[in-house]
Short mmCIF file of all heavy atoms in Angstrom, two decimals:
data_model
loop_
_atom_site.label_atom_id
_atom_site.label_comp_id
_atom_site.label_asym_id
_atom_site.label_seq_id
_atom_site.Cartn_x
_atom_site.Cartn_y
_atom_site.Cartn_z
N ASP A 20 6.38 17.33 -7.37
CA ASP A 20 6.91 18.41 -6.56
C ASP A 20 6.17 19.80 -6.68
O ASP A 20 6.56 20.80 -6.23
CB ASP A 20 8.39 18.72 -6.85
CG ASP A 20 9.33 17.80 -6.13
OD1 ASP A 20 8.92 16.98 -5.30
OD2 ASP A 20 10.60 17.87 -6.37
N ILE A 21 4.94 19.71 -7.37
CA ILE A 21 4.17 20.87 -7.57
C ILE A 21 2.69 20.71 -6.95
O ILE A 21 2.31 21.52 -6.10
CB ILE A 21 3.93 21.15 -9.13
CG1 ILE A 21 5.32 21.37 -9.70
CG2 ILE A 21 3.05 22.32 -9.36
CD1 ILE A 21 5.36 21.32 -11.17
N PHE A 22 2.03 19.67 -7.31
CA PHE A 22 0.64 19.49 -6.85
C PHE A 22 0.62 18.91 -5.45
O PHE A 22 1.44 18.03 -5.08
CB PHE A 22 -0.15 18.51 -7.75
CG PHE A 22 -0.42 19.11 -9.15
CD1 PHE A 22 -1.01 18.29 -10.10
CD2 PHE A 22 -0.28 20.44 -9.46
CE1 PHE A 22 -1.32 18.73 -11.34
CE2 PHE A 22 -0.57 20.91 -10.69
CZ PHE A 22 -1.10 20.05 -11.61
N GLY A 23 -0.46 19.24 -4.66
CA GLY A 23 -0.68 18.64 -3.32
C GLY A 23 -2.10 18.71 -3.03
O GLY A 23 -2.75 19.68 -3.42
N LEU A 24 -2.59 17.77 -2.24
CA LEU A 24 -3.97 17.73 -1.84
C LEU A 24 -4.02 17.46 -0.37
O LEU A 24 -3.40 16.64 0.18
CB LEU A 24 -4.62 16.52 -2.54
CG LEU A 24 -6.16 16.56 -2.68
CD1 LEU A 24 -6.68 17.64 -3.52
CD2 LEU A 24 -6.59 15.16 -3.35
N ALA A 25 -4.84 18.32 0.41
CA ALA A 25 -5.03 18.08 1.84
C ALA A 25 -6.10 17.01 1.99
O ALA A 25 -7.03 17.03 1.23
CB ALA A 25 -5.48 19.37 2.47
N LEU A 26 -5.89 16.23 2.96
CA LEU A 26 -6.88 15.15 3.21
C LEU A 26 -7.50 15.40 4.63
O LEU A 26 -6.93 16.05 5.43
CB LEU A 26 -6.18 13.72 3.25
CG LEU A 26 -5.50 13.34 2.03
CD1 LEU A 26 -4.69 12.05 2.19
CD2 LEU A 26 -6.31 13.25 0.80
N SER A 27 -8.70 14.82 4.76
CA SER A 27 -9.34 15.01 6.14
C SER A 27 -8.72 14.05 7.15
O SER A 27 -8.70 14.36 8.33
CB SER A 27 -10.88 14.75 6.01
OG SER A 27 -11.48 15.71 5.24
N GLU A 28 -8.35 12.92 6.74
CA GLU A 28 -7.70 11.90 7.59
C GLU A 28 -6.66 11.18 6.81
O GLU A 28 -6.73 11.04 5.62
CB GLU A 28 -8.79 10.83 7.97
CG GLU A 28 -9.67 11.29 9.00
CD GLU A 28 -10.71 10.06 9.29
OE1 GLU A 28 -10.24 9.12 9.97
OE2 GLU A 28 -11.72 10.13 8.68
N PRO A 29 -5.67 10.60 7.51
CA PRO A 29 -5.32 10.70 8.92
C PRO A 29 -4.74 12.09 9.19
O PRO A 29 -4.58 12.98 8.38
CB PRO A 29 -4.35 9.65 9.13
CG PRO A 29 -3.67 9.50 7.83
CD PRO A 29 -4.65 9.90 6.79
N TYR A 30 -4.48 12.33 10.51
CA TYR A 30 -3.93 13.64 10.88
C TYR A 30 -3.06 13.45 12.24
O TYR A 30 -3.18 12.51 12.96
CB TYR A 30 -5.00 14.72 11.10
CG TYR A 30 -6.10 14.21 11.99
CD1 TYR A 30 -5.98 14.18 13.41
CD2 TYR A 30 -7.36 13.87 11.48
CE1 TYR A 30 -7.07 13.75 14.15
CE2 TYR A 30 -8.36 13.46 12.16
CZ TYR A 30 -8.20 13.38 13.58
OH TYR A 30 -9.30 12.97 14.39
N ASP A 31 -2.22 14.49 12.42
CA ASP A 31 -1.45 14.63 13.73
C ASP A 31 -2.22 15.56 14.62
O ASP A 31 -2.83 16.47 14.11
CB ASP A 31 -0.08 15.13 13.53
CG ASP A 31 0.89 14.15 12.74
OD1 ASP A 31 0.45 12.99 12.57
OD2 ASP A 31 1.97 14.58 12.38
N ILE A 32 -2.07 15.43 15.87
CA ILE A 32 -2.60 16.44 16.75
C ILE A 32 -1.39 17.07 17.52
O ILE A 32 -0.56 16.31 18.13
CB ILE A 32 -3.57 15.79 17.83
CG1 ILE A 32 -4.78 15.25 17.11
CG2 ILE A 32 -4.00 16.83 18.81
CD1 ILE A 32 -5.73 14.47 18.00
N ILE A 33 -1.25 18.31 17.36
CA ILE A 33 -0.09 19.07 17.87
C ILE A 33 -0.46 20.06 18.89
O ILE A 33 -1.34 20.93 18.71
CB ILE A 33 0.67 19.69 16.67
CG1 ILE A 33 1.04 18.61 15.67
CG2 ILE A 33 1.95 20.46 17.11
CD1 ILE A 33 1.55 19.19 14.41
N THR A 34 0.20 20.05 20.06
CA THR A 34 -0.05 20.98 21.14
C THR A 34 1.15 21.80 21.37
O THR A 34 2.28 21.19 21.62
CB THR A 34 -0.52 20.30 22.39
OG1 THR A 34 -1.58 19.38 22.17
CG2 THR A 34 -0.99 21.33 23.48
N LEU A 35 1.07 23.08 21.35
CA LEU A 35 2.23 23.98 21.67
C LEU A 35 1.88 24.76 22.91
O LEU A 35 0.82 25.33 23.05
CB LEU A 35 2.55 24.92 20.53
CG LEU A 35 3.69 24.55 19.55
CD1 LEU A 35 3.34 23.32 18.90
CD2 LEU A 35 3.97 25.70 18.68
N SER A 36 2.76 24.76 23.91
CA SER A 36 2.62 25.61 25.11
C SER A 36 3.84 26.48 25.32
O SER A 36 4.98 26.03 25.11
CB SER A 36 2.45 24.72 26.36
OG SER A 36 1.72 23.49 26.03
N LYS A 37 3.60 27.73 25.72
CA LYS A 37 4.72 28.61 26.05
C LYS A 37 5.48 28.04 27.23
O LYS A 37 4.90 27.44 28.18
CB LYS A 37 4.24 29.94 26.34
CG LYS A 37 3.77 30.69 25.18
CD LYS A 37 3.28 32.16 25.42
CE LYS A 37 2.84 32.83 24.27
NZ LYS A 37 2.13 34.12 24.44
N SER A 38 6.81 28.07 27.24
CA SER A 38 7.59 27.63 28.34
C SER A 38 8.68 28.72 28.69
O SER A 38 8.80 29.71 28.01
CB SER A 38 8.21 26.30 28.08
OG SER A 38 9.25 26.49 27.05
N GLU A 39 9.36 28.45 29.78
CA GLU A 39 10.28 29.53 30.24
C GLU A 39 11.47 29.67 29.20
O GLU A 39 11.71 30.81 28.87
CB GLU A 39 10.98 29.00 31.59
CG GLU A 39 10.09 28.94 32.81
CD GLU A 39 9.79 30.31 33.31
OE1 GLU A 39 10.77 31.01 33.67
OE2 GLU A 39 8.59 30.72 33.42
N GLU A 40 11.99 28.59 28.78
CA GLU A 40 13.07 28.79 27.79
C GLU A 40 13.23 27.41 27.01
O GLU A 40 12.90 26.32 27.48
CB GLU A 40 14.38 29.15 28.46
CG GLU A 40 14.93 28.15 29.41
CD GLU A 40 16.32 28.56 29.91
OE1 GLU A 40 17.05 29.21 29.13
OE2 GLU A 40 16.67 28.24 31.01
N GLY A 41 14.00 27.48 25.82
CA GLY A 41 14.28 26.38 25.05
C GLY A 41 13.07 25.69 24.30
O GLY A 41 11.91 26.17 24.49
N ILE A 42 13.42 24.60 23.56
CA ILE A 42 12.37 23.92 22.90
C ILE A 42 12.39 22.51 23.32
O ILE A 42 13.49 21.86 23.33
CB ILE A 42 12.64 23.99 21.34
CG1 ILE A 42 12.68 25.47 20.79
CG2 ILE A 42 11.58 23.15 20.57
CD1 ILE A 42 13.26 25.64 19.41
N SER A 43 11.24 21.98 23.80
CA SER A 43 11.25 20.53 24.02
C SER A 43 10.21 19.88 23.15
O SER A 43 9.13 20.54 22.73
CB SER A 43 10.84 20.29 25.47
OG SER A 43 9.53 20.70 25.74
N ILE A 44 10.51 18.63 22.72
CA ILE A 44 9.59 17.87 21.84
C ILE A 44 9.27 16.53 22.41
O ILE A 44 10.21 15.83 22.93
CB ILE A 44 10.23 17.66 20.47
CG1 ILE A 44 10.62 19.04 19.86
CG2 ILE A 44 9.32 16.92 19.53
CD1 ILE A 44 11.48 18.87 18.59
N SER A 45 7.99 16.20 22.56
CA SER A 45 7.64 14.83 22.93
C SER A 45 6.64 14.22 21.82
O SER A 45 5.80 15.00 21.27
CB SER A 45 7.02 14.80 24.33
OG SER A 45 5.90 15.58 24.35
N LEU A 46 6.82 12.98 21.52
CA LEU A 46 6.08 12.40 20.50
C LEU A 46 5.42 11.11 21.01
O LEU A 46 5.99 10.33 21.80
CB LEU A 46 7.02 11.95 19.38
CG LEU A 46 7.69 13.08 18.59
CD1 LEU A 46 9.12 12.70 18.22
CD2 LEU A 46 6.84 13.37 17.28
N ARG A 47 4.25 10.82 20.53
CA ARG A 47 3.63 9.56 20.70
C ARG A 47 2.73 9.26 19.56
O ARG A 47 2.56 10.07 18.67
CB ARG A 47 2.87 9.44 22.07
CG ARG A 47 1.68 10.50 22.22
CD ARG A 47 1.29 10.51 23.64
NE ARG A 47 0.38 11.65 23.89
CZ ARG A 47 -0.93 11.52 23.96
NH1 ARG A 47 -1.48 10.34 23.84
NH2 ARG A 47 -1.74 12.62 24.14
#
Side-chain angles (χ1 to χ4, degrees):
D20 277 356
I21 299 168
F22 290 171
L24 200 64
L26 304 175
S27 294
E28 281 180 82
Y30 50 77
D31 289 353
I32 299 176
I33 301 172
T34 308
L35 259 65
S36 319
K37 287 181 179 167
S38 66
E39 293 284 306
E40 61 173 332
I42 300 169
S43 69
I44 303 172
S45 61
L46 291 142
R47 60 194 170 101

